[in-house]
Coordinates of all heavy atoms in Angstrom, one line a residue:
M29 N 80.8 -5.2 -39.9 CA 80.1 -5.5 -38.7 C 80.9 -5.5 -37.5 O 82.1 -5.9 -37.6 CB 79.4 -6.9 -38.8 CG 78.0 -6.8 -38.4 SD 76.9 -8.2 -38.7 CE 77.9 -9.4 -39.4
G30 N 80.6 -5.0 -36.4 CA 81.4 -4.8 -35.3 C 81.1 -5.9 -34.3 O 80.6 -6.9 -34.6
L31 N 81.6 -5.7 -33.0 CA 81.5 -6.6 -32.0 C 80.0 -6.8 -31.6 O 79.2 -5.8 -31.7 CB 82.3 -6.2 -30.8 CG 83.8 -6.1 -31.0 CD1 84.4 -5.5 -29.8 CD2 84.3 -7.5 -31.2
P32 N 79.7 -8.0 -31.0 CA 78.3 -8.2 -30.5 C 78.1 -7.2 -29.3 O 78.9 -7.1 -28.5 CB 78.3 -9.6 -30.1 CG 79.4 -10.2 -30.6 CD 80.4 -9.2 -30.9
L33 N 77.0 -6.6 -29.3 CA 76.7 -5.7 -28.2 C 75.5 -6.2 -27.4 O 74.7 -6.9 -28.0 CB 76.3 -4.2 -28.7 CG 77.4 -3.6 -29.5 CD1 76.9 -2.4 -30.4 CD2 78.6 -3.3 -28.7
R34 N 75.3 -5.8 -26.3 CA 74.2 -6.4 -25.4 C 73.4 -5.3 -24.9 O 73.9 -4.3 -24.4 CB 74.8 -7.2 -24.3 CG 73.8 -7.8 -23.4 CD 74.4 -8.9 -22.4 NE 75.0 -9.9 -23.3 CZ 75.4 -11.1 -22.9 NH1 75.4 -11.4 -21.6 NH2 75.8 -12.0 -23.7
I35 N 72.0 -5.5 -24.8 CA 71.2 -4.6 -24.1 C 70.2 -5.5 -23.3 O 69.9 -6.6 -23.7 CB 70.4 -3.8 -25.1 CG1 69.5 -2.7 -24.4 CG2 69.6 -4.7 -26.1 CD1 69.0 -1.7 -25.4
T36 N 69.8 -5.0 -22.1 CA 68.8 -5.7 -21.3 C 67.6 -4.8 -21.4 O 67.6 -3.7 -21.0 CB 69.3 -5.8 -19.8 OG1 70.6 -6.6 -19.8 CG2 68.3 -6.5 -18.9
F37 N 66.5 -5.5 -21.7 CA 65.2 -4.8 -21.8 C 64.2 -5.7 -21.1 O 64.0 -6.9 -21.5 CB 64.8 -4.5 -23.4 CG 63.6 -3.8 -23.4 CD1 63.4 -2.5 -23.2 CD2 62.4 -4.6 -23.9 CE1 62.2 -1.9 -23.4 CE2 61.2 -3.9 -24.1 CZ 61.2 -2.6 -23.8
K38 N 63.5 -5.1 -20.1 CA 62.4 -5.9 -19.4 C 62.9 -7.3 -18.9 O 62.4 -8.2 -19.1 CB 61.1 -6.1 -20.2 CG 60.4 -4.8 -20.5 CD 59.1 -5.0 -21.2 CE 58.4 -3.7 -21.4 NZ 57.1 -3.9 -22.0
D39 N 64.1 -7.1 -18.3 CA 64.8 -8.3 -17.7 C 65.2 -9.4 -18.6 O 65.4 -10.5 -18.3 CB 63.9 -8.9 -16.6 CG 63.8 -7.9 -15.4 OD1 64.7 -7.2 -15.2 OD2 62.7 -8.0 -14.7
E40 N 65.2 -9.1 -20.0 CA 65.7 -10.0 -20.9 C 66.9 -9.4 -21.6 O 67.0 -8.3 -21.9 CB 64.6 -10.3 -22.0 CG 63.5 -11.2 -21.6 CD 62.6 -11.7 -22.7 OE1 63.2 -12.1 -23.7 OE2 61.4 -11.5 -22.5
D41 N 67.9 -10.3 -21.9 CA 69.2 -9.9 -22.6 C 68.9 -10.1 -24.2 O 68.5 -11.1 -24.5 CB 70.4 -10.6 -22.1 CG 70.7 -10.2 -20.7 OD1 70.5 -9.1 -20.4 OD2 71.3 -11.1 -20.0
Y42 N 69.4 -9.1 -24.9 CA 69.4 -9.2 -26.3 C 70.8 -8.8 -26.7 O 71.4 -8.0 -26.3 CB 68.4 -8.1 -26.9 CG 67.0 -8.4 -26.6 CD1 66.4 -7.8 -25.5 CD2 66.2 -9.2 -27.4 CE1 65.1 -8.0 -25.1 CE2 64.9 -9.4 -27.0 CZ 64.3 -8.8 -25.9 OH 63.0 -9.1 -25.6
V43 N 71.2 -9.6 -27.8 CA 72.6 -9.4 -28.4 C 72.3 -8.8 -29.8 O 71.5 -9.5 -30.6 CB 73.4 -10.7 -28.5 CG1 74.7 -10.5 -29.1 CG2 73.5 -11.3 -27.0
Y44 N 73.1 -7.8 -30.1 CA 72.8 -7.2 -31.4 C 74.3 -6.8 -32.0 O 75.2 -6.6 -31.2 CB 71.8 -6.0 -31.4 CG 72.3 -4.8 -30.7 CD1 72.9 -3.7 -31.4 CD2 72.1 -4.6 -29.3 CE1 73.3 -2.6 -30.7 CE2 72.5 -3.5 -28.7 CZ 73.2 -2.5 -29.4 OH 73.6 -1.3 -28.7
Q45 N 74.3 -6.6 -33.3 CA 75.4 -6.1 -34.0 C 75.0 -5.0 -34.9 O 73.9 -5.1 -35.6 CB 76.1 -7.2 -34.7 CG 76.9 -8.2 -33.8 CD 77.5 -9.2 -34.7 OE1 76.9 -9.9 -35.5 NE2 78.8 -9.5 -34.6
I46 N 75.8 -4.0 -35.1 CA 75.5 -2.9 -36.0 C 76.1 -3.2 -37.3 O 77.3 -3.5 -37.5 CB 76.1 -1.5 -35.5 CG1 75.5 -1.3 -34.0 CG2 75.7 -0.4 -36.4 CD1 76.2 -0.1 -33.3
I47 N 75.3 -3.1 -38.4 CA 75.8 -3.3 -39.7 C 76.3 -2.1 -40.3 O 75.6 -1.0 -40.2 CB 74.7 -3.9 -40.6 CG1 74.1 -5.3 -40.0 CG2 75.1 -4.1 -42.0 CD1 72.9 -5.7 -40.7
N48 N 77.5 -2.0 -40.8 CA 78.0 -0.8 -41.4 C 78.0 0.4 -40.6 O 77.6 1.5 -41.0 CB 77.3 -0.5 -42.7 CG 77.6 -1.4 -43.8 OD1 78.6 -2.1 -43.9 ND2 76.6 -1.6 -44.7
S49 N 78.6 0.3 -39.3 CA 78.8 1.3 -38.4 C 79.6 2.6 -39.0 O 79.5 3.6 -38.5 CB 79.2 0.8 -37.0 OG 80.5 0.4 -37.2
K50 N 80.5 2.3 -40.0 CA 81.3 3.3 -40.4 C 80.5 4.4 -41.3 O 80.9 5.5 -41.4 CB 82.4 2.7 -41.4 CG 83.3 1.8 -40.6 CD 84.4 1.3 -41.5 CE 85.3 0.4 -40.7 NZ 86.3 -0.4 -41.6
H51 N 79.3 4.0 -41.7 CA 78.5 4.9 -42.4 C 77.5 5.7 -41.7 O 76.7 6.5 -42.1 CB 77.8 4.1 -43.6 CG 78.7 3.5 -44.5 ND1 79.4 4.2 -45.5 CD2 78.9 2.2 -44.7 CE1 80.1 3.3 -46.2 NE2 79.8 2.1 -45.8
I52 N 77.5 5.5 -40.3 CA 76.6 6.2 -39.4 C 77.3 7.5 -38.9 O 78.5 7.5 -38.5 CB 76.3 5.3 -38.3 CG1 75.5 4.1 -38.8 CG2 75.4 6.0 -37.2 CD1 75.2 3.0 -37.8
N53 N 76.6 8.6 -39.1 CA 77.0 10.0 -38.5 C 75.8 10.6 -37.8 O 74.8 10.0 -37.6 CB 77.6 10.7 -39.6 CG 76.7 11.0 -40.7 OD1 75.4 11.2 -40.5 ND2 77.1 11.1 -41.9
S54 N 76.0 11.8 -37.5 CA 75.0 12.5 -36.7 C 73.8 12.8 -37.4 O 72.7 13.1 -37.0 CB 75.6 13.9 -36.1 OG 76.0 14.7 -37.3
N55 N 73.8 12.7 -38.9 CA 72.6 12.9 -39.7 C 71.9 11.6 -40.0 O 71.0 11.7 -40.8 CB 73.0 13.7 -40.9 CG 73.6 15.0 -40.6 OD1 73.1 15.8 -39.7 ND2 74.7 15.4 -41.3
T56 N 72.4 10.5 -39.6 CA 71.8 9.2 -40.0 C 70.4 9.1 -39.4 O 70.2 9.3 -38.3 CB 72.7 8.1 -39.6 OG1 74.0 8.2 -40.2 CG2 72.2 6.7 -39.9
T57 N 69.5 8.5 -40.3 CA 68.2 8.4 -39.8 C 67.7 6.9 -39.9 O 66.6 6.5 -39.5 CB 67.1 9.2 -40.5 OG1 67.2 9.0 -41.9 CG2 67.4 10.7 -40.2
E58 N 68.6 6.1 -40.6 CA 68.3 4.6 -40.8 C 69.6 3.8 -40.3 O 70.7 4.3 -40.7 CB 68.0 4.3 -42.2 CG 66.7 5.0 -42.7 CD 66.5 4.5 -44.1 OE1 66.9 3.4 -44.6 OE2 65.7 5.2 -44.8
I59 N 69.3 2.8 -39.6 CA 70.3 1.8 -39.1 C 69.9 0.4 -39.4 O 68.7 0.2 -39.3 CB 70.8 2.1 -37.7 CG1 69.7 2.1 -36.8 CG2 71.6 3.4 -37.6 CD1 70.1 2.2 -35.4
E60 N 70.9 -0.4 -39.6 CA 70.6 -1.9 -39.7 C 71.4 -2.6 -38.7 O 72.5 -2.3 -38.4 CB 71.0 -2.4 -41.2 CG 70.2 -1.7 -42.3 CD 70.6 -2.3 -43.7 OE1 71.8 -2.9 -43.7 OE2 69.9 -2.4 -44.5
L61 N 70.6 -3.6 -38.1 CA 71.2 -4.3 -36.9 C 70.9 -5.8 -37.1 O 70.0 -6.2 -38.0 CB 70.6 -4.0 -35.6 CG 70.5 -2.5 -35.2 CD1 69.5 -2.3 -33.9 CD2 71.8 -2.0 -34.9
F62 N 71.7 -6.7 -36.6 CA 71.5 -8.0 -36.4 C 71.0 -8.2 -35.0 O 71.8 -7.9 -34.1 CB 72.6 -8.9 -36.8 CG 72.8 -9.3 -38.1 CD1 73.9 -8.9 -38.8 CD2 71.8 -9.9 -38.9 CE1 74.1 -9.2 -40.2 CE2 72.0 -10.2 -40.2 CZ 73.1 -9.9 -40.9
L63 N 69.8 -8.5 -34.7 CA 69.2 -8.8 -33.4 C 69.0 -10.2 -33.2 O 68.2 -10.9 -33.9 CB 68.0 -8.0 -33.1 CG 67.3 -8.2 -31.8 CD1 68.2 -7.7 -30.7 CD2 66.0 -7.4 -31.7
N64 N 69.8 -10.9 -32.4 CA 69.7 -12.3 -32.1 C 69.7 -13.1 -33.4 O 69.0 -14.0 -33.6 CB 68.4 -12.7 -31.3 CG 68.5 -12.1 -29.9 OD1 69.6 -11.9 -29.3 ND2 67.3 -11.9 -29.4
G65 N 70.6 -12.7 -34.3 CA 70.8 -13.4 -35.6 C 69.8 -13.0 -36.7 O 69.9 -13.5 -37.8
E66 N 68.9 -12.1 -36.5 CA 67.9 -11.7 -37.5 C 68.2 -10.3 -37.8 O 68.4 -9.4 -37.0 CB 66.5 -11.8 -36.8 CG 65.4 -11.6 -37.8 CD 64.1 -11.7 -37.1 OE1 64.0 -12.6 -36.2 OE2 63.1 -11.0 -37.5
K67 N 68.1 -10.0 -39.1 CA 68.3 -8.6 -39.6 C 67.2 -7.7 -39.3 O 66.0 -8.1 -39.5 CB 68.6 -8.6 -41.1 CG 68.9 -7.3 -41.7 CD 69.3 -7.3 -43.1 CE 69.6 -5.9 -43.6 NZ 70.0 -6.0 -45.1
L68 N 67.4 -6.5 -38.8 CA 66.4 -5.6 -38.3 C 66.7 -4.3 -38.8 O 67.9 -3.7 -38.6 CB 66.4 -5.6 -36.8 CG 65.4 -4.7 -36.1 CD1 64.0 -5.2 -36.4 CD2 65.6 -4.8 -34.6
E69 N 65.8 -3.5 -39.5 CA 66.1 -2.1 -39.9 C 65.2 -1.1 -39.1 O 64.1 -1.3 -39.0 CB 65.7 -2.0 -41.4 CG 66.4 -2.9 -42.3 CD 66.1 -2.7 -43.8 OE1 66.2 -1.7 -44.3 OE2 65.6 -3.8 -44.3
L70 N 66.0 -0.2 -38.7 CA 65.3 0.9 -37.8 C 65.3 2.2 -38.5 O 66.3 2.5 -39.3 CB 66.0 1.0 -36.5 CG 66.2 -0.1 -35.6 CD1 66.9 0.2 -34.3 CD2 64.9 -0.9 -35.3
I71 N 64.4 3.1 -38.4 CA 64.3 4.3 -38.9 C 63.9 5.3 -37.8 O 63.0 5.1 -37.0 CB 63.4 4.4 -40.2 CG1 63.4 5.8 -40.9 CG2 61.9 4.0 -39.7 CD1 62.8 5.7 -42.2
R72 N 64.5 6.6 -37.9 CA 64.2 7.6 -36.9 C 63.3 8.6 -37.6 O 63.6 9.2 -38.6 CB 65.4 8.2 -36.4 CG 65.2 9.2 -35.3 CD 66.4 9.7 -34.6 NE 67.3 10.4 -35.6 CZ 68.6 10.7 -35.4 NH1 69.1 10.6 -34.3 NH2 69.3 11.4 -36.4
D73 N 62.1 8.9 -37.0 CA 61.1 9.9 -37.6 C 61.6 11.3 -37.2 O 62.5 11.5 -36.4 CB 59.8 9.4 -37.3 CG 59.4 9.6 -35.9 OD1 60.2 10.1 -35.1 OD2 58.3 9.1 -35.5
T74 N 60.7 12.2 -37.6 CA 61.0 13.7 -37.2 C 60.9 13.9 -35.8 O 61.5 15.0 -35.3 CB 60.1 14.6 -38.0 OG1 58.7 14.2 -37.8 CG2 60.3 14.4 -39.5
N75 N 60.2 13.1 -35.1 CA 60.1 13.3 -33.6 C 61.1 12.6 -32.8 O 61.1 12.5 -31.6 CB 58.7 12.8 -33.1 CG 57.5 13.6 -33.7 OD1 57.7 14.8 -34.0 ND2 56.5 13.0 -33.9
L76 N 62.2 12.1 -33.5 CA 63.3 11.5 -32.9 C 63.0 10.1 -32.3 O 63.5 9.7 -31.3 CB 64.1 12.3 -32.1 CG 64.6 13.6 -32.6 CD1 65.4 14.5 -31.6 CD2 65.5 13.4 -33.8
V77 N 61.9 9.5 -32.8 CA 61.4 8.2 -32.2 C 61.9 7.1 -33.2 O 61.7 7.2 -34.5 CB 59.9 8.2 -32.2 CG1 59.4 6.8 -31.7 CG2 59.4 9.2 -31.1
W78 N 62.5 6.1 -32.7 CA 62.9 5.0 -33.5 C 61.9 4.0 -33.7 O 61.1 3.6 -32.8 CB 64.1 4.2 -32.9 CG 65.3 5.1 -32.9 CD1 65.9 5.9 -31.9 CD2 66.3 5.2 -34.0 NE1 67.0 6.5 -32.3 CE2 67.3 6.1 -33.5 CE3 66.3 4.7 -35.3 CZ2 68.3 6.4 -34.4 CZ3 67.4 5.1 -36.1 CH2 68.5 5.9 -35.7
K79 N 61.7 3.5 -34.9 CA 60.6 2.6 -35.3 C 61.2 1.5 -36.4 O 62.2 1.9 -36.9 CB 59.4 3.3 -36.0 CG 58.8 4.3 -35.1 CD 57.7 4.9 -35.8 CE 56.9 5.9 -34.9 NZ 55.9 6.6 -35.6
Q80 N 60.5 0.4 -36.4 CA 60.9 -0.5 -37.5 C 60.6 0.0 -38.9 O 59.5 0.6 -39.0 CB 60.3 -1.9 -37.3 CG 61.0 -2.6 -36.2 CD 60.4 -4.0 -36.0 OE1 59.5 -4.2 -35.2 NE2 60.9 -4.9 -36.8
K81 N 61.4 -0.2 -39.8 CA 61.2 0.3 -41.1 C 60.1 -0.4 -41.8 O 59.7 -1.6 -41.5 CB 62.5 0.1 -42.0 CG 62.5 0.8 -43.3 CD 63.9 0.7 -44.0 CE 63.8 1.4 -45.3 NZ 65.1 1.4 -45.9
D82 N 59.3 0.3 -42.6 CA 58.1 -0.2 -43.4 C 57.0 -0.6 -42.5 O 56.1 -1.3 -42.9 CB 58.5 -1.4 -44.3 CG 59.6 -1.0 -45.3 OD1 59.6 0.2 -45.7 OD2 60.5 -1.9 -45.6
G83 N 57.0 -0.1 -41.3 CA 55.8 -0.3 -40.5 C 55.7 -1.7 -39.9 O 54.6 -2.0 -39.3
V84 N 56.7 -2.5 -40.1 CA 56.6 -3.9 -39.5 C 56.9 -3.8 -38.0 O 57.7 -3.0 -37.5 CB 57.8 -4.7 -40.2 CG1 57.8 -6.1 -39.5 CG2 57.8 -4.7 -41.7
Q85 N 56.0 -4.5 -37.3 CA 56.1 -4.5 -35.9 C 56.2 -5.9 -35.2 O 55.5 -6.4 -34.6 CB 54.9 -3.9 -35.2 CG 54.8 -2.4 -35.5 CD 53.9 -1.7 -34.7 OE1 53.2 -2.3 -33.8 NE2 53.7 -0.4 -34.8
A86 N 57.4 -6.5 -35.6 CA 57.7 -7.9 -35.2 C 58.3 -7.9 -33.7 O 58.1 -8.9 -33.0 CB 58.8 -8.6 -36.1
Y87 N 58.7 -6.7 -33.3 CA 59.1 -6.5 -31.9 C 58.5 -5.4 -31.2 O 57.8 -4.7 -31.8 CB 60.6 -6.2 -31.9 CG 61.6 -7.4 -32.4 CD1 62.0 -7.4 -33.7 CD2 61.9 -8.4 -31.5 CE1 62.8 -8.3 -34.2 CE2 62.8 -9.4 -32.0 CZ 63.2 -9.4 -33.4 OH 63.9 -10.4 -33.8
D88 N 58.5 -5.4 -29.9 CA 58.0 -4.5 -29.0 C 58.5 -3.1 -29.4 O 59.7 -2.9 -29.5 CB 58.3 -4.7 -27.5 CG 57.7 -3.8 -26.5 OD1 57.1 -2.8 -27.0 OD2 57.9 -4.0 -25.3
P89 N 57.6 -2.1 -29.7 CA 58.1 -0.8 -30.1 C 59.1 -0.1 -29.0 O 60.0 0.7 -29.4 CB 56.8 0.1 -30.2 CG 55.7 -0.9 -30.5 CD 56.1 -2.2 -29.7
N90 N 58.8 -0.5 -27.7 CA 59.7 0.1 -26.7 C 61.0 -0.5 -26.8 O 62.1 0.2 -26.5 CB 59.1 -0.2 -25.4 CG 57.9 0.7 -25.1 OD1 57.8 1.9 -25.6 ND2 56.9 0.1 -24.5
L91 N 61.2 -1.8 -27.2 CA 62.5 -2.4 -27.4 C 63.3 -1.8 -28.6 O 64.4 -1.4 -28.5 CB 62.3 -3.9 -27.7 CG 63.7 -4.7 -28.1 CD1 64.7 -4.6 -27.1 CD2 63.3 -6.1 -28.5
I92 N 62.4 -1.5 -29.7 CA 63.0 -0.8 -30.8 C 63.6 0.5 -30.4 O 64.7 1.0 -30.8 CB 62.0 -0.7 -32.0 CG1 61.6 -2.1 -32.4 CG2 62.5 0.1 -33.2 CD1 62.6 -3.0 -32.9
Q93 N 62.8 1.3 -29.6 CA 63.3 2.6 -29.2 C 64.5 2.5 -28.4 O 65.5 3.3 -28.5 CB 62.1 3.3 -28.4 CG 62.4 4.7 -27.8 CD 62.7 5.7 -29.0 OE1 62.3 5.6 -30.1 NE2 63.5 6.7 -28.5
A94 N 64.6 1.5 -27.5 CA 65.7 1.2 -26.6 C 67.0 1.0 -27.5 O 68.0 1.4 -27.1 CB 65.5 0.1 -25.6
L95 N 66.7 0.1 -28.5 CA 67.9 -0.3 -29.4 C 68.4 1.0 -30.1 O 69.6 1.2 -30.2 CB 67.4 -1.3 -30.3 CG 67.3 -2.8 -29.9 CD1 66.6 -3.7 -30.9 CD2 68.7 -3.3 -29.5
G96 N 67.5 1.7 -30.7 CA 67.8 3.0 -31.4 C 68.6 3.9 -30.4 O 69.6 4.5 -30.8
R97 N 68.2 4.1 -29.2 CA 68.8 5.0 -28.3 C 70.2 4.5 -27.9 O 71.1 5.2 -27.8 CB 67.9 5.1 -27.0 CG 68.2 6.3 -26.2 CD 67.2 6.5 -25.0 NE 65.8 6.2 -25.4 CZ 65.1 5.2 -24.7 NH1 65.6 4.7 -23.6 NH2 63.9 5.1 -25.1
S98 N 70.2 3.2 -27.7 CA 71.5 2.6 -27.4 C 72.7 2.8 -28.6 O 73.7 3.2 -28.2 CB 71.4 1.0 -27.1 OG 72.6 0.4 -27.0
V99 N 72.2 2.6 -29.8 CA 73.1 2.8 -30.9 C 73.4 4.3 -30.9 O 74.6 4.7 -31.1 CB 72.4 2.4 -32.2 CG1 73.3 2.8 -33.4 CG2 72.3 0.8 -32.2
S100 N 72.5 5.1 -30.8 CA 72.7 6.6 -30.8 C 73.7 7.0 -29.8 O 74.6 7.9 -30.1 CB 71.4 7.4 -30.6 OG 70.5 7.2 -31.6
L101 N 73.7 6.6 -28.6 CA 74.6 6.9 -27.5 C 75.9 6.3 -27.8 O 77.0 7.1 -27.6 CB 74.0 6.4 -26.2 CG 72.8 7.2 -25.7 CD1 72.3 6.4 -24.4 CD2 73.2 8.6 -25.4
R102 N 76.0 5.1 -28.3 CA 77.3 4.5 -28.6 C 78.1 5.2 -29.7 O 79.3 5.3 -29.7 CB 77.2 3.0 -29.0 CG 76.8 2.2 -27.7 CD 76.6 0.7 -28.1 NE 76.0 -0.1 -27.1 CZ 76.7 -0.7 -26.2 NH1 77.9 -0.6 -26.1 NH2 76.1 -1.3 -25.2
L103 N 77.3 5.6 -30.7 CA 78.0 6.2 -31.9 C 77.8 7.7 -31.9 O 78.3 8.3 -33.0 CB 77.4 5.6 -33.2 CG 77.6 4.1 -33.3 CD1 77.0 3.6 -34.6 CD2 79.0 3.7 -33.2
R104 N 77.3 8.3 -30.9 CA 77.2 9.7 -30.8 C 76.5 10.4 -32.0 O 77.0 11.2 -32.7 CB 78.5 10.4 -30.6 CG 79.2 10.0 -29.4 CD 80.4 10.7 -29.2 NE 81.1 10.0 -27.9 CZ 82.3 10.4 -27.5 NH1 83.1 11.1 -28.3 NH2 82.7 9.9 -26.4
M105 N 75.2 9.8 -32.2 CA 74.4 10.3 -33.4 C 73.7 11.6 -32.9 O 73.3 11.8 -32.0 CB 73.4 9.3 -33.8 CG 74.1 8.0 -34.4 SD 72.9 6.7 -34.7 CE 71.9 7.4 -35.9

């Protein structure tokens, strides 16, 4: 696990950590994060849209998309 990373979404700050960032490359379609101390699994579909795995929607879909985009940019996915 890496350093805590921060994202601001709709004027709220969220702190997240990427789990196993060493296994992420340009072909990765699934990532695991700790978001505010809670484990979160994201999956990228064929339209390059990030969603929560298994259809769970505990968080705003736009927040999930912003998290996926943030990780993609940081790790050059």
Side-chain angles (χ1 to χ4, degrees):
M29 226 173 358
L31 295 172
L33 303 169
R34 181 172 293 197
I35 187 171
T36 302
F37 179 77
K38 292 188 179 179
D39 296 327
E40 284 190 49
D41 288 332
Y42 295 90
V43 177
Y44 69 94
Q45 289 180 303
I46 303 168
I47 301 172
N48 291 333
S49 62
K50 294 179 183 177
H51 299 288
I52 295 176
N53 60 34
S54 61
N55 298 321
T56 301
T57 59
E58 293 185 26
I59 53 176
E60 292 182 337
L61 307 173
F62 274 121
L63 178 63
N64 295 332
E66 185 177 327
K67 187 175 179 181
L68 181 66
E69 296 181 63
L70 307 182
I71 188 165
R72 185 172 60 186
D73 65 11
T74 56
N75 296 328
L76 304 179
V77 175
W78 289 99
K79 299 179 181 180
Q80 282 185 263
K81 191 171 182 178
D82 299 328
V84 178
Q85 292 195 0
Y87 292 98
D88 182 354
N90 293 321
L91 172 61
I92 299 301
Q93 179 65 21
L95 285 167
R97 200 173 323 123
S98 175
V99 172
S100 296
L101 291 171
R102 288 179 191 272
L103 299 179
R104 298 181 180 171
M105 293 175 65

